[in-house]
Amino acid sequence: MLTLSAQFGAFVYTTYFMFGWDIMEAFTYFAGQTMLMGAYVYFLMVKRDHSLESMWEVSRDRFRTRLFRKYSLNADEIE
């Protein structure tokens, strides 16, 4: 959320105080397309929706799996 807020603030500042819409239109278009492609690549790699809840679950599961391997634990026995 912080990244999106910073990006929005940067776009507002550069659009209204530095360059103008005619120059910034291309930048905002390509920034939006980059975020869209990033979300699609995330979906292809993880096979889950691009939502905050899903991203937290993936992160938690990967961290948990790493800990289980590190300490030689069996996940089925613990759950």
Side-chain angles (χ1 to χ4, degrees):
M1 190 66 168
L2 180 65
T3 306
L4 289 176
S5 298
Q7 180 184 16
F8 180 74
F11 283 155
V12 167
Y13 178 73
T14 54
T15 300
Y16 293 110
F17 300 112
M18 291 182 70
F19 302 119
W21 180 245
D22 56 336
I23 294 173
M24 289 303 297
E25 182 178 12
F27 287 110
T28 57
Y29 172 77
F30 286 116
Q33 292 299 314
T34 301
M35 287 189 290
L36 180 68
M37 291 174 72
Y40 185 63
V41 167
Y42 175 83
F43 173 75
L44 290 176
M45 291 175 61
V46 179
K47 304 287 191 269
R48 292 190 185 176
D49 288 340
H50 180 251
S51 68
L52 187 59
E53 182 179 331
S54 173
M55 292 168 64
W56 279 113
E57 286 177 11
V58 169
S59 177
R60 183 195 64 207
D61 291 344
R62 287 183 181 175
F63 178 73
R64 193 171 162 196
T65 303
R66 251 186 302 154
L67 283 177
F68 285 164
R69 283 190 200 142
K70 181 178 178 181
Y71 294 110
S72 301
L73 299 173
N74 187 358
D76 296 329
E77 292 176 3
I78 293 174
E79 295 176 353

